[in-house]
Amino acid sequence: MTTATAPPTTSTAPGLEPTGLRLRLADHQGHDHLDGGWWPHSRDLSAELRRLVDDFPPERGRVVRVLYSPPDWDNRPVRSLPVAAGQVKVGFFPHDDTHLVHLTMSDRSVWLLAVVPPGFSADQGDEALLAAATSGNQHSAADLLHTVEGEAASVPADHWARGS
């Protein structure tokens, strides 16, 4: 079973900032290829990381470092980012296009999250979050997103588990 940590919500009124952290985490971190998925509202890494770090479920830990895949974003924070709890160290994987973020927690555990493109439709985004957090997932983030982008409506939920 997976846990949706916050209901995905967006603002439909023109000019209003989207609200809500769109994040789905696996029940057990480190057991599968991915530990969940994150669906940012934009390609502004600084703004989206603040939302992710500040709203990350406290029972899952406190984020102290983030590594990201540069092609997913329009801007890059320098070496740290101010957040509600202080500063978070930020780095990136050079020449990487894996659609991932690695969140290092204060206890040194790491959450490996697929980054769902902000332009995905609601159905595609929901399917990608489900796939990334499904127990037994063995798909890379890139493969998962490619599959969802091409056939989200026709992929059965159990497709994402081990052996599918």
Side-chain angles (χ1 to χ4, degrees):
M1 174 149 195
T2 56
T3 302
T5 59
T9 58
T10 58
S11 171
T12 55
L16 292 180
E17 178 71 19
T19 59
L21 179 62
R22 301 186 296 188
L23 175 70
R24 189 162 182 158
L25 300 173
D27 285 338
H28 304 288
Q29 172 193 16
H31 290 138
D32 299 305
H33 192 73
L34 298 168
D35 297 313
W38 172 44
W39 186 16
H41 295 276
S42 74
R43 290 177 49 93
D44 180 346
L45 182 60
S46 296
E48 296 297 339
L49 275 184
R50 277 188 193 94
R51 184 188 330 245
L52 176 63
V53 171
D54 290 346
D55 295 341
F56 198 82
E59 68 276 7
R60 300 295 187 113
R62 183 175 54 86
V63 179
V64 296
R65 180 170 174 80
V66 177
L67 295 173
Y68 63 91
S69 178
D72 293 330
W73 307 101
D74 292 336
N75 66 358
R76 298 180 189 173
V78 195
R79 294 178 187 233
S80 68
L81 182 72
V83 295
Q87 296 282 323
V88 170
K89 293 179 182 177
V90 179
F92 61 92
F93 308 110
H95 313 293
D96 175 66
D97 191 14
T98 58
H99 306 289
L100 293 172
V101 293
H102 291 217
L103 304 179
T104 303
M105 312 309 283
S106 58
D107 67 359
R108 297 184 186 227
S109 63
V110 175
W111 287 89
L112 183 60
L113 304 179
V115 177
V116 178
F120 266 26
S121 70
D123 287 342
Q124 289 171 321
D126 289 342
E127 184 66 29
L129 292 176
L130 171 67
T134 296
S135 179
N137 72 64
Q138 294 298 305
H139 299 273
S140 71
D143 287 345
L144 179 152
L145 295 173
H146 178 73
T147 300
V148 166
E149 190 170 34
E151 53 185 280
S154 65
V155 176
D158 62 357
H159 168 78
W160 303 110
R162 197 177 321 269
S164 296

